[in-house]
Amino acid sequence: QVQLVESGGGLVQAGGSLRLSCAASGIIFSLYDLGWYRQAPGKQREMVTTITSSGSTHYADSVKGRFTISRDNARNTMYLQMNSLKPEDTAVYYCYAKRMPAGSIVTFEFWGQGTQVTVSS
């Protein structure tokens, strides 16, 4: 059974920092592209940042220079370091794992249950 479990969310003042973790089980973690998405009340879920199985990263413009994604394949864990947080970063943050095996038309995708991040002004 595949599980992605986020932790590290909470309430922080604007300008503060949080570090989210996503612990994975039931998958060959190192083979998966990973990402963090977020959904604010009344808004669509949006991509925050992604990291490929080879370590290439991509960030939404809104978080560039403030957020850092990383992965530890030995611990089957992905991280999101969030600095200089703003009230508009308030959302439920979800971790995501995806893999399309070479030569396959099937994509394996998994989501975590989400962790709340609230940034007060």
Side-chain angles (χ1 to χ4, degrees):
Q1 182 180 359
V2 177
Q3 282 193 311
L4 299 178
V5 180
E6 301 98 335
S7 61
L11 173 64
V12 64
Q13 287 189 329
S17 297
L18 282 175
R19 188 193 195 203
L20 305 184
S21 299
C22 173
S25 60
I27 59 174
I28 304 175
F29 185 78
S30 62
L31 297 181
Y32 279 73
D33 297 335
L34 307 171
W36 289 97
Y37 287 69
R38 68 186 180 187
Q39 187 167 19
K43 295 188 176 182
Q44 289 189 332
R45 190 172 297 189
E46 63 175 1
M47 187 277 294
V48 176
T49 177
T50 59
I51 184 167
T52 66
S53 58
S54 59
S56 297
T57 59
H58 176 71
Y59 295 90
D61 288 343
S62 59
V63 306
K64 279 181 183 176
R66 300 189 297 122
F67 290 11
T68 303
I69 189 171
S70 62
R71 62 189 297 162
D72 184 340
N73 289 337
R75 297 179 183 271
N76 287 359
T77 303
M78 172 178 62
Y79 304 98
L80 180 63
Q81 178 66 45
M82 304 186 293
N83 299 327
S84 303
L85 283 160
K86 304 176 181 180
E88 51 264 42
D89 294 318
T90 295
V92 178
Y93 283 70
Y94 299 89
C95 66
Y96 171 71
K98 182 181 75 172
R99 180 188 177 214
M100 179 181 281
S104 172
I105 61 171
V106 177
T107 299
F108 298 94
E109 296 180 290
F110 304 100
W111 291 91
Q113 83 288 350
T115 185
Q116 177 70 47
V117 171
T118 303
V119 184
S120 63
S121 57

